Amino acid sequence: QVQLVESGGGLVRAGGSLRLSCAASGRTFTTFDKGWFRQAPGKEREFVAAITWQDDKTYYADSVKGRFTISRDNDKSAVYLQMNSLKPEDTAVYYCAAVRFYSGSSRQNWDYWGQGTQVTVSS
């Protein structure tokens, strides 16, 4: 029953904002490091951002740095991705991911995945 569930996706105009949420069920996931990936049609799933459980250290892809912010609730029960100044090229399915200990942004380093939520940015 341990799983990741994303929410908050939708359609937004270029320049707008969205906030994605990821809720983790089960005590085990509470202490896991978490991140966000995205995948556009015909493209490889790519790293977006990550945050560690222990010290809230954050990591960002160059393509979103300065526009997106990853964060946790104070109780660390959920992780969020605040997306500002959205561009059409941000259109993709966004996935929440988790791993016991962060070891890099490569997809192969992440063990658990949500089902994804669609983000569409219109021009």
Side-chain angles (χ1 to χ4, degrees):
Q1 292 299 112
V2 176
Q3 62 180 6
L4 303 170
V5 180
E6 305 98 332
S7 63
L11 175 65
V12 65
R13 289 180 289 181
S17 299
L18 283 174
R19 189 186 72 164
L20 305 183
S21 299
C22 175
S25 62
R27 291 182 178 180
T28 302
F29 268 169
T30 300
T31 63
F32 277 40
D33 294 340
K34 298 183 178 64
W36 290 94
F37 285 71
R38 66 186 183 185
Q39 187 167 23
K43 294 186 177 181
E44 184 177 298
R45 190 171 300 187
E46 65 177 358
F47 172 79
V48 175
I51 187 167
T52 63
W53 171 82
Q54 185 173 25
D55 58 5
D56 284 343
K57 185 175 180 63
T58 57
Y59 304 85
Y60 295 95
D62 289 340
S63 60
V64 306
K65 194 173 184 64
R67 298 188 298 124
F68 292 9
T69 303
I70 188 170
S71 63
R72 291 183 185 268
D73 274 346
N74 289 336
D75 63 5
K76 302 188 178 182
S77 62
V79 64
Y80 305 94
L81 185 69
Q82 178 66 46
M83 305 184 294
N84 298 326
S85 301
L86 283 162
K87 306 173 181 179
E89 49 263 47
D90 294 318
T91 295
V93 176
Y94 283 70
Y95 298 89
C96 182
V99 66
R100 186 67 184 89
F101 296 107
Y102 176 79
S103 61
S105 62
S106 297
R107 185 182 181 182
Q108 64 186 9
N109 293 328
W110 298 81
D111 298 322
Y112 305 95
W113 299 86
Q115 293 298 310
T117 185
Q118 177 70 47
V119 171
T120 302
V121 183
S122 63
S123 60

